[in-house]
Amino acid sequence: MVHNIGVIGSGLMGLGIAQVAAQSGLQVRLNDANADALQDAITRIRKGLERLRDRDRLDGDVDTILTRIHLTTDLQEFAQSEVVIEAISENEDLKRGLFAQLDDICAPHTILASNTSSISITNIAAATSRPEYVVGMHFFNPVPAMQLVEVTRGIATSDTTVDKITQLGEQLGKTVVQAADTPGFIVNRILVPMLVEAIYAYQEGAASREDIDQAVRLGLGHPMGPLTLADLIGLDTLLAICDVYYRGFGDPKYRAPILLRRYVTAGWLGRKTGRGFYDYSSR
Ligand code: NAI
């Protein structure tokens, strides 16, 4: 059993991972380079817990769960964490820089896990002196609601590390699947080409954004349409994923639509900035 974890990056994913870990009784240190993002995260975690409580779906009490989450901007506080889960922006240089720092700070047997959607675990692990302790632990958005975790191994990840992270996933109430270190692992390898195709369809005027979403919901039985889902994921994150796949597979099917690139340049990143394919400013 793991008793304490560190989570680095308190955006959409990091705050969800911290919430679920605290709900499961673990002590959590939550870090972000941006102190405002940390404050925002704890407010959102409280709201998420209160929503669950109001629907009678929370084991335990909101304030007790929140006392298990310690906010910090100081990476040195991760020296004694049993497992550190990284959920910072989807950028390989940033992640490699962070893993090199954690390698210096953390105890020698601390497992360093990445929630990356697309970046090679082998590449991230190569920035450390402990590649056998580096692993992918890929959660899905929103973390409290989504059942799956993909555990992904880099070329040097040890069986013991994979077993421990699989057990941690189960301790957090998730179902775990294991995947090799190929771009996109399992789910995103299948999902991202569909999202990209939906954006091309919209860009080319094949249908309105509402009709594209409605068609996929009703015609394929998906809970939400692909453009709505792209907005939920974050268009910057989706663009970064496309670029990694395009380089990784060398396959034009992953070439990012120009419209996606324009939206990201304009700061239209989806729900998190209030505008993406849809306008969320008044919602
Ligand atoms: P986000 O943009 O919401 O949050 C990223 C956070 O990382 C920001 O608060 C930022 O201030 C912080 N950050 C950036 N560099 C940092 C550093 N060096 N040290 C500490 N904090 C730093 O991003 P999101 O969506 O939470 O994604 C995080 C990771 O999770 C990415 O690798 C992404 O690919 C992955 N992921 C995202 C999913 C999604 O649906 N958005 C789903 C599954 C995985």
Side-chain angles (χ1 to χ4, degrees), residues 33-51:
N34 173 351
D36 291 343
L38 275 178
Q39 287 311 323
D40 191 42
I42 203 72
T43 306
R44 292 177 64 179
I45 292 172
R46 175 178 282 283
K47 280 195 190 139
L49 291 171
E50 287 171 349
R51 259 198 313 275

Side-chain angles (χ1 to χ4, degrees), residues 137-216:
M137 187 176 195
H138 184 219
F139 291 82
F140 291 80
N141 181 19
V143 180
M146 298 297 279
Q147 189 57 39
L148 186 69
V149 168
E150 289 175 335
V151 172
T152 56
R153 53 160 81 225
I155 205 158
T157 310
S158 73
D159 290 344
T160 313
T161 298
V162 169
D163 289 348
K164 276 200 178 157
I165 289 297
T166 300
Q167 281 162 19
L168 173 60
E170 289 166 357
Q171 199 181 331
L172 301 184
K174 303 299 184 193
T175 301
V176 176
V177 292
Q178 293 183 9
D181 192 14
T182 56
F185 314 124
I186 304 171
V187 172
N188 281 340
R189 180 172 185 161
I190 296 165
L191 171 70
V192 170
M194 188 196 72
L195 299 183
V196 168
E197 199 55 40
I199 298 170
Y200 274 119
Y202 177 53
Q203 176 179 293
E204 287 165 16
S208 69
R209 59 193 175 181
E210 290 82 4
D211 280 356
I212 291 170
D213 276 351
Q214 172 111 302
V216 171

Side-chain angles (χ1 to χ4, degrees), residues 8-14 31-34 37 86-90 94-95 98 115-118 138-141 232-234 236-237 241 272:
I8 304 191
S10 69
L12 273 180
M13 296 304 292
N31 165 283
D32 201 287
N34 173 351
E86 166 276 313
I88 69 169
S89 316
E90 188 72 343
L94 275 184
K95 288 191 196 282
L98 176 64
N115 184 51
T116 178
S117 307
S118 63
H138 184 219
F139 291 82
F140 291 80
N141 181 19
L232 183 69
I233 291 171
D236 53 338
T237 301
I241 294 172
K272 62 184 169 188

